[in-house]
Each structure stands twice: as C-alpha cells, then as structure tokens.
Amino acid sequence: MGETAAADAADTAQTSRTDARKAARAERRAAKLAREIGSFAKEHGGAEGQLAYIGEAGARIVLVGQDGAWGDLVAPTYAVAENAVEKAGITVHEEFDGDFALKVRTGPYEWSRMAGIQVGGPSNDS
C-alpha cells in the first residue's frame, strides 16, 4: 500500500470513529430526552407532542399532558427529537393547532406573561 493509500485509509478510519462517536452521543441525548418526556407523561397522565425546527439550535419538543399542563424540551437536531419521541412512545402532531392546542390549560402566570400590561399583567417597568 502506498503512502497516499495508507493516509486515505487512516483518514477514513478516523472519520468512521468520529461518526460513530457523534451517533452514540445523539443516541444518548435521545434516550435522555425520552426519559424526560416519560417523566412528564407520568406526572400528567400521559402526553402528546409536536416537533418544531428552530434553526441551528435544533428542534423544540412541545409536550401537552392529558391534564392540560404543558412544557417543552430542546433537542440538538430534529433527528434526535424524532428519535426521542419515538422512544418515549407519545403521539406526535404535525401542527400545534385545532384539538391539540385546545388541550393546553394556562393559568394566571401564563396569561400575565402573554398579555402583559394590556390586561393588567406586571409591567415591564421596574
């Protein structure tokens, strides 16, 4: 084997090891997110979700519990988010609208944060 062929083989082996480490890291992240989704679902009588691509930051996993509680998680990539919800076994909606959006229950805190001073929420002046 010539020097060029040996160097190419070494580069290929290094790339394979790097790809394997990235894949293992993505798998661990998906498993961790799946456990967090499972905990949320257990605490709220089940859960459904929706995935949203948020650019370089990755993907947002919005969760809505059967009791109307909601929360979200961020995955480093859309693929990791898809893997996490699949591992968690929750129903995933294409859009956050209609019947799915109606399941969300908000309290006074959310209303004051969303509406702000327009409806008597805390002002931004301190």
Side-chain angles (χ1 to χ4, degrees):
M1 188 181 304
E3 284 183 34
T4 304
D8 288 346
D11 287 346
T12 299
Q14 180 64 33
T15 300
S16 294
R17 284 190 299 273
T18 300
D19 290 346
R21 282 194 298 271
K22 286 180 182 177
R25 186 177 18 221
E27 185 63 29
R28 286 190 306 271
R29 183 65 178 135
K32 181 178 185 228
L33 287 165
R35 286 190 303 273
E36 292 173 359
I37 293 166
S39 293
F40 179 89
K42 184 177 179 181
E43 186 175 330
H44 299 286
E48 299 175 50
Q50 190 263 332
L51 305 180
Y53 176 70
I54 55 174
E56 288 184 29
R60 181 178 185 207
I61 305 168
V62 179
L63 301 170
V64 178
Q66 294 304 311
D67 63 359
W70 63 278
D72 66 347
L73 299 165
V74 176
T77 66
Y78 198 88
V80 169
E82 287 179 314
N83 190 359
V85 296
E86 183 178 319
K87 286 178 179 299
I90 65 168
T91 298
V92 178
H93 298 268
E94 292 288 323
E95 300 288 328
F96 196 88
D97 60 5
D99 293 334
F100 184 49
L102 288 173
K103 292 180 180 185
V104 176
R105 298 291 172 246
T106 56
Y109 172 79
E110 288 85 4
W111 280 102
S112 69
R113 297 295 298 164
M114 289 186 281
I117 39 183
Q118 289 84 359
V119 294
S123 71
N124 292 329
D125 301 348
S126 295

